Each structure stands twice: as structure tokens, then as C-alpha cells.
Amino acid sequence: MRLGVIADDFTGATDVASMLVRAGMRAVQVIGVPDGPVPDADAVVVALKSRTVPASEAVRDSLAALAWLRAGGARQCYFKYCSTFDSTAAGNIGPVAEALMQALDTDFTIACPAFPENGRTVFRGHLFVGDQLLSDSGMRHHPLTPMTDSNLPNVLQTQMQSRVGLVRYDTVARGEAALRQRFDALRAEGVRCAVVDAISNEDLHAIAAACADMPLLTAGSGVALGLPDVYAARGWLSPDARAADLGRVGGRGAVLSGSCSQATNAQVRHWIDTGRPALRIDPRDLAAGRATARQALGWALAQPEPVLVYATSSPDDVRAVQAELGVERAGHLVEQCLADIARGLVAEDVRRLVIAGGETSGAVVRALGVTQLRIGAAIDPGVPWTRVEGRPLLLALKSGNFGAVDFFTKALQQVE
Ligand code: ADP
């Protein structure tokens, strides 16, 4: 194993693994810290659920993941967080980064959430989502991690004891050597973590090259894009042109959606508008104890072509349901229902399953007893097909805001 990655949530883990595979690294994602040995791959990504838990738990889980990856031979470690720098007031990006630095006995790292292909760029330390500052974007209303400050050095400094610095775009644009020089200067000034500007894939490649010798990187998935080339140039990796090949699985396809984000709403509408079979799950029916999952499964299996079963709703509908049932209960009921349907579908020869929603994906993966995923080709930036290790089952796990409007059909067509 060349690279060990610790990801703070599930679909984020798949996202970063997808970046590595795209550039020829064979990547496997594990869910939580396994008991057994590390799988055979160039990069192993541990998917944690540490983004919004108390900081002390995030630190504990991240250190456990680090110990497992190092025992498995990881030569560089990568702490992966969201490209919108999702964090709570207590962290968890800063505390986890500091704990990992200490465990790795290193006194310098970077922080770079940029993912230009998905509209996340960092300029003069400020994070943009498309044309808006992070704090003007929808992220300011996020229920768990509202982001109201776009100034990343500020945000990170409130989470870290050690000094945070900035590497501005003018340095990044001058490339690897200038970056290394600036890192050295900042380190000499006592800075322990530097936010690095990046607005293009070219910048990410330069940053990856300049960080190749750091024991720890902290970043969104973007910086990972540049790492395989750097490793290959140094003779640490032979890129595998078939890294993304997951083989054929046959069987049928289906889509389950529990995400209510803007992008997913548009994707569900597109599926319905193009005349494909779709069935809506109403959380109120679930609360009333109706046999919704069983009925939906029966309907799905009776259709000759791939179906969509969705709870996806507009923000107003979601608010109304949440007011009636409670936020947690509504979420749990829907997740449970979709997970039950997934289990039923897989038992009946569905082998290509698209799941929309981060929490929803977590619930489905748990219900299917999946512990390890090999990562394949990207469908859209950040969302690859994956194959459950040892089983003829492909999963595409899409976090809410990812994917083009025709994501569902494109995903299924890609593995027909
Ligand atoms: P995303 O990646 O878009 O954030 P998630 O799956 O992580 O999607 O989160 C969506 C949450 O909303 C889940 O807990 C899901 O069960 C819940 N949910 C889905 N549909 C509805 C609905 N119609 N009303 C209320 N909650 C819903």
C-alpha cells in the first residue's frame, strides 16, 4: 500500500478513492476500521463517520484508522474532508489534523478542500462554491455543519491550537518549487498547517508534487488527483490502466434515493420526465406502520426495466414531514425503508444499485452487510461505481449534491 486515507464520511471516502483510481491507483474502501489485515491495493481508504460526532470521538476513530493503515504499510497518510470544509464549532477538521500530526510525529501539513471540477475553489484563503463565497452558498443553512465564514485560515485557527498559515495563489501558480519554499518559510515561522489556494486541476497537481514527502496531507478529494502521477514519477507506483475495471456482474439495475438535496431533486424529476418507472415513498405511511417497503419491493420486481424508488422531496415537504414526525424519526424511517428495499432487491437478482444520499448510502451498505468496496470508474466527478468485495454486486453511492441531472440513467447505462 502506498497511500492510507482517512475519510470523515462515507460518500466522501468513495469520492477520494475515485480520484486515485482515475489516475491509475488501485483503491479499496473499507467501512470503519476492520479487525483484519489491509486489503491488497495501492491505496486503502477508511470511511469513518466522524464529521459531526463530538471532536474527541472523531480523534479517537481517526487515530485507530491511522494505526491500522500504518500497520498495513501505508507510506503516506491523507485526511480527507468535505470540499465545503464541513465542520462543527468544535472541529472536527482541526482536532483530527492535530492528533494525526502528533501520531505521525510531523510538524507541518496543508489544508486544501479545493475541488475545481465541482466548483469548489480556494483563493486568498477564501472558499468558493461556484460563484459564491461558501458563507453565501446553501452551506450556510446546513442542518449539522452550517458554514458561515469563508475564510479558511480563520475557521481552521478556531479549531487548532497550533498556528495556521496561508499559501496564496501567486505562489501556487509558480509551481512545485515555489510551494516547497513557501512551506519551508511558514514552518520556520512556526506555522504548523497551511491553507493552500487552488483554482484548477493544474494547481492540485503542483500541490500534490510539493507535498509528496509529507507524512500527512489534509484535503478534500481534489489534491488526491495529483498524487498517483507524483508517485509514478518517483517510481513508487506503476499506474494500472485497468485500476477501474470492476468486471461484469449481470443481473438487474435499480435506483434508490433518500437524498433531498437540490441536485437529487432534479435527478429524480429527470428520471420521471423521461418516462421511466418511479415510485414515491411517503414517510407518513412509514410512521403509520404500513407495509410500504414490501409493497414497493413487489412493485419494483414486477417492472421489466430498472426502477427508481425515492423519498426525495422538496425542502418545504421535508420541513412539513419533519415538523410532524421529528427530524430524526423521519430520517430514520426513510433510511430503514430504503435499506429494506435494497436488501429485497439484491436477494432477487438486482446487482447494479444506485443509491442517492450520504446517510441513505450508509444505511443501505449496513443493511447489505458490506464491509469492503473496490473502486471503479467515475460516473460524474466524485461518484464512481464500486464493487462489493467477493460478491457480484455493484453500488454507486452518490452524496446529495453530486452528479449531473441525468446521473441515474448515465450510471446504469455505464454498467449495462
Ligand atoms: P444527502 O446526501 O443529500 O444529505 P442523506 O441521505 O445524507 O442525503 O440525508 C437525507 C436524509 O433525509 C436521510 O436521513 C433521509 O432518510 C431523509 N429523508 C429522505 N426523504 C425524506 C422526506 N421525504 N422527509 C423527511 N426526511 C427525508
Side-chain angles (χ1 to χ4, degrees):
M1 189 201 337
R2 177 67 232 167
L3 181 69
V5 184
I6 301 164
D8 70 350
D9 92 331
F10 190 85
T11 43
T14 318
D15 171 10
V16 66
S18 164
M19 288 297 187
L20 297 165
V21 167
R22 180 168 142 188
M25 263 177 118
R26 298 171 307 124
V28 168
Q29 171 177 344
V30 296
I31 293 133
V33 183
D35 292 327
V38 296
D40 171 37
D42 302 317
V44 176
V45 182
V46 180
L48 297 178
K49 210 172 175 323
S50 56
R51 185 171 296 169
T52 56
V53 300
S56 57
E57 283 174 38
V59 164
R60 181 199 62 201
D61 294 351
S62 303
L63 288 175
L66 177 69
W68 182 76
L69 288 165
R70 287 178 91 189
R75 276 173 278 176
Q76 187 168 37
C77 285
Y78 191 118
F79 170 37
K80 192 274 175 193
Y81 38 75
C82 191
S83 60
T84 40
F85 216 67
D86 300 18
S87 35
T88 64
N92 294 333
I93 295 173
V96 169
E98 275 183 320
L100 294 175
M101 285 174 83
Q102 196 181 3
L104 285 162
D105 196 21
T106 180
D107 67 352
F108 192 80
T109 189
I110 62 154
C112 181
F115 189 1
E117 282 177 10
N118 271 353
R120 275 65 156 163
T121 53
V122 182
F123 188 72
R124 297 207 161 234
H126 287 67
L127 178 55
F128 289 82
V129 178
D131 295 330
Q132 291 179 308
L133 280 167
L134 174 69
S135 52
D136 293 332
S137 78
M139 279 305 295
R140 72 188 188 282
H141 297 309
H142 193 283
L144 303 175
T145 53
M147 299 302 290
T148 54
D149 186 357
S150 311
N151 182 324
L152 297 180
N154 269 355
V155 173
L156 198 52
Q157 191 65 78
T158 62
Q159 299 177 11
M160 286 183 100
Q161 318 252 306
S162 24
R163 245 180 92 194
V164 176
L166 173 64
V167 181
R168 288 191 189 78
Y169 187 68
D170 43 340
T171 304
V172 179
R174 283 190 286 125
E176 179 187 344
L179 276 162
R180 283 179 184 273
Q181 248 176 22
R182 178 74 179 139
F183 291 156
D184 289 343
L186 286 171
R187 182 194 259 125
E189 286 169 25
V191 167
R192 296 290 161 255
C193 182
V195 171
V196 186
D197 282 356
I199 60 172
S200 68
N201 281 356
E202 204 185 343
D203 299 335
L204 297 176
H205 280 279
I207 293 166
C211 295
D213 300 304
M214 288 183 191
L216 176 72
L217 295 175
T218 91
S221 61
V223 174
L225 186 62
L227 285 176
D229 283 354
V230 176
Y231 295 157
R234 292 179 170 218
W236 294 344
L237 171 81
S238 332
D240 183 349
R242 292 171 46 98
D245 189 357
L246 298 177
R248 295 192 155 269
V249 294
R252 307 171 48 170
V255 186
L256 300 175
S257 178
S259 156
C260 297
S261 72
Q262 224 172 340
T264 310
N265 267 288
Q267 289 153 354
V268 166
R269 216 169 311 122
H270 181 269
W271 176 278
I272 295 168
D273 289 349
T274 49
R276 295 179 162 80
L279 182 72
R280 179 162 186 276
I281 301 288
D282 187 337
R284 293 181 185 88
D285 288 341
L286 302 174
R290 303 208 171 88
T292 309
R294 192 152 49 79
Q295 285 162 5
L297 185 60
W299 171 84
L301 293 172
Q303 308 300 313
E305 48 178 323
V307 297
L308 162 68
V309 179
Y310 66 102
T312 306
S313 293
S314 69
D316 284 346
D317 283 347
V318 172
R319 265 192 294 274
V321 165
Q322 287 176 336
E324 207 174 306
L325 304 177
V327 175
E328 233 176 83
R329 178 149 183 256
H332 183 73
L333 284 168
V334 169
E335 286 167 30
Q336 204 47 55
C337 174
L338 292 175
D340 288 346
I341 295 170
R343 216 171 13 215
L345 290 172
V346 168
E348 295 290 340
D349 205 35
V350 168
R351 295 189 191 162
R352 290 163 282 140
L353 202 50
V354 180
I355 314 289
E359 293 298 325
T360 309
S361 294
V364 167
V365 158
R366 268 192 304 279
L368 295 176
V370 172
T371 56
Q372 205 169 301
L373 296 166
R374 192 158 288 272
I375 308 298
I379 303 154
D380 274 323
V383 204
W385 272 107
T386 70
R387 180 171 181 148
V388 178
E389 284 288 31
R391 282 160 69 178
L393 177 59
L394 299 182
L395 300 176
L397 308 164
K398 186 191 85 77
S399 96
N401 272 316
F402 279 14
V405 70
D406 60 347
F407 178 84
F408 297 153
T409 38
K410 188 161 48 172
L412 289 173
Q413 278 164 5
Q414 208 166 303
V415 293
E416 242 163 27

